[in-house]
């Protein structure tokens, strides 16, 4: 804002850039933005990206809320909650298989 007002007051872009220790290209861009929009505000860098499933949130959460079954991270086998897969080598060799059966 100060940069744009300094240019508006009659100083050259080089004088303003030397005073504020910024490039003359920056001063020129700020002044153009000031003249075009009437304010100087930075552009949004990344922005807000909506979740892909956001439109379906109600349809997904309603059955889960009404469900009385206990949710588990691990697979269910024979009606019992599954066990966490073995992650260390010794546990994998104890079960005689490299990966847990799902």
């Amino acid at each position: 804002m100060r940069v744009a007002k300094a240019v508006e007051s009659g100083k050259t872009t080089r004088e303003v850039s030397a005073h504020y220790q910024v490039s003359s290209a920056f001063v020129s861009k700020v002044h153009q933005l000031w003249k075009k929009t009437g304010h100087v505000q930075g552009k949004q860098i990344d922005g807000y990206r909506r979740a892909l499933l956001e439109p379906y949130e109600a349809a997904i959460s309603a059955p889960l809320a009404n469900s009385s079954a206990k949710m588990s991270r691990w697979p269910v086998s024979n009606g019992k909650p599954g066990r966490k897969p073995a992650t260390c080598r010794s546990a994998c060799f104890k079960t005689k298989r490299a990966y847990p059966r799902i």
Side-chain angles (χ1 to χ4, degrees):
M1 184 103 142
R2 292 181 287 175
V3 171
K5 287 187 178 182
V7 176
E8 285 287 324
S9 68
K11 293 183 180 178
T12 64
T13 56
R14 288 188 182 185
E15 290 173 347
V16 175
S17 66
H19 182 266
Y20 289 107
Q21 297 179 348
V22 293
S23 68
S24 60
F26 172 77
V27 174
S28 176
K29 287 177 185 178
V30 168
H31 184 245
Q32 288 174 6
L33 184 64
W34 174 266
K35 283 174 37 176
K36 183 178 179 182
T37 62
H39 58 83
V40 178
Q41 188 173 6
K43 293 180 182 177
Q44 194 171 12
I45 295 174
D46 277 337
Y48 171 72
R49 182 175 176 196
R50 291 180 45 200
L52 295 176
L53 295 177
E54 191 173 325
Y56 310 103
E57 182 179 5
I60 294 171
S61 60
L64 294 175
N66 296 334
S67 174
S68 61
K70 183 178 178 184
M71 300 299 288
S72 173
R73 283 178 64 187
W74 313 112
V76 176
S77 60
N78 300 332
K80 296 179 183 175
R83 292 176 45 191
K84 181 178 177 182
T87 54
C88 68
R89 245 180 125 166
S90 62
C92 289
F93 286 120
K94 286 180 185 175
T95 60
K96 307 266 187 200
R97 57 182 178 243
Y99 301 103
R101 203 177 302 155
I102 296 177

